């Protein structure tokens, strides 16, 4: 097995909420509760879920990820966009300018965001020591090869390097299903 293998994580629809929106959706002073820790240190899937209402349809029970962020961001697949009636741009996390918005409905209230829905661009989280091992730098764009019956090469994969990151490539459910991938499978970084 080559030594340039990376575990993959499939990212289903989810959202990150600002503290202001957590207070509106769940009640003033509410704190998200941890269902399970995610692969990236300090990040977690919360027990809390909300409904996302678009111009055409609703995604019910969308998982909130914590902790709170500075801006509310909804990450969906392109297929989810058809359900909602929006076209999410493929973007890096946090790049929300000129993205569609939606209504978010929680148990205590609702909020409408004017922008904030994206389809997350495929990316690899790497600790600084991993970046040295793979001979890549932060913001470098690489390709990743997937073997198997539905094997393919993902191009335009952004490398994100930080001393708090854990090694994992993230693709959304549509991309993972197209390649026949499962969480934890290994894929090959190619430069």
């Amino acid at each position: 097995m080559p030594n340039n293998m990376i575990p993959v994580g499939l990212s289903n629809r989810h959202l990150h909420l600002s503290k202001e929106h957590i207070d509106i959706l769940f009640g003033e002073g509410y704190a998200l509760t941890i269902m399970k820790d995610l692969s990236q240190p300090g990040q977690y899937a919360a027990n809390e879920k909300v409904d996302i209402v678009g111009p055409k349809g609703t995604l019910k029970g969308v998982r909130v990820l914590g902790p709170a962020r500075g801006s509310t961001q909804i990450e969906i697949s392109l297929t989810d966009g058809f359900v909602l009636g929006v076209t999410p741009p493929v973007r890096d996390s946090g790049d929300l300018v000129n993205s569609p918005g939606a209504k978010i409905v929680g148990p205590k209230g609702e909020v409408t965001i004017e922008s904030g829905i994206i389809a997350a661009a495929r990316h690899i989280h790497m600790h600084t020591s991993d970046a040295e091992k793979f001979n890549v730098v932060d913001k470098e764009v690489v390709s990743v090869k997937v073997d198997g019956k539905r094997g393919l090469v993902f191009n335009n994969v952004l490398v994100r390097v930080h001393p708090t990151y854990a090694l994992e490539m993230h693709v959304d459910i549509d991309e993972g299903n197209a390649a026949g991938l499962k969480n934890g499978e290994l894929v090959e970084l190619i430069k």
Side-chain angles (χ1 to χ4, degrees), residues 139-160:
K139 296 191 173 97
E140 185 170 344
V141 177
V142 298
S143 294
V144 173
K145 180 181 175 194
V146 178
D147 287 325
K149 288 185 179 182
R150 301 195 79 187
L152 52 78
V153 174
F154 286 116
N155 293 314
N156 305 315
V157 182
L158 178 68
V159 175
R160 297 171 63 189

Side-chain angles (χ1 to χ4, degrees), residues 90-171:
V90 177
R91 300 267 182 85
D92 296 330
S93 182
D95 183 1
L96 308 177
V97 175
N98 294 322
S99 62
K103 180 164 63 171
I104 306 168
V105 180
K108 299 283 186 183
E110 59 185 50
V111 64
T112 298
I113 58 171
E114 296 302 317
S115 64
I117 299 177
I118 64 168
R122 56 184 81 112
H123 58 279
I124 301 169
H125 290 275
M126 283 192 187
H127 186 275
T128 48
S129 62
D130 294 316
E132 288 177 25
K133 173 186 156 194
F134 288 100
N135 193 29
V136 294
V137 296
D138 188 46
K139 296 191 173 97
E140 185 170 344
V141 177
V142 298
S143 294
V144 173
K145 180 181 175 194
V146 178
D147 287 325
K149 288 185 179 182
R150 301 195 79 187
L152 52 78
V153 174
F154 286 116
N155 293 314
N156 305 315
V157 182
L158 178 68
V159 175
R160 297 171 63 189
V161 178
H162 194 272
T164 63
Y165 288 166
L167 182 64
E168 190 171 60
M169 176 179 172
H170 290 165
V171 295

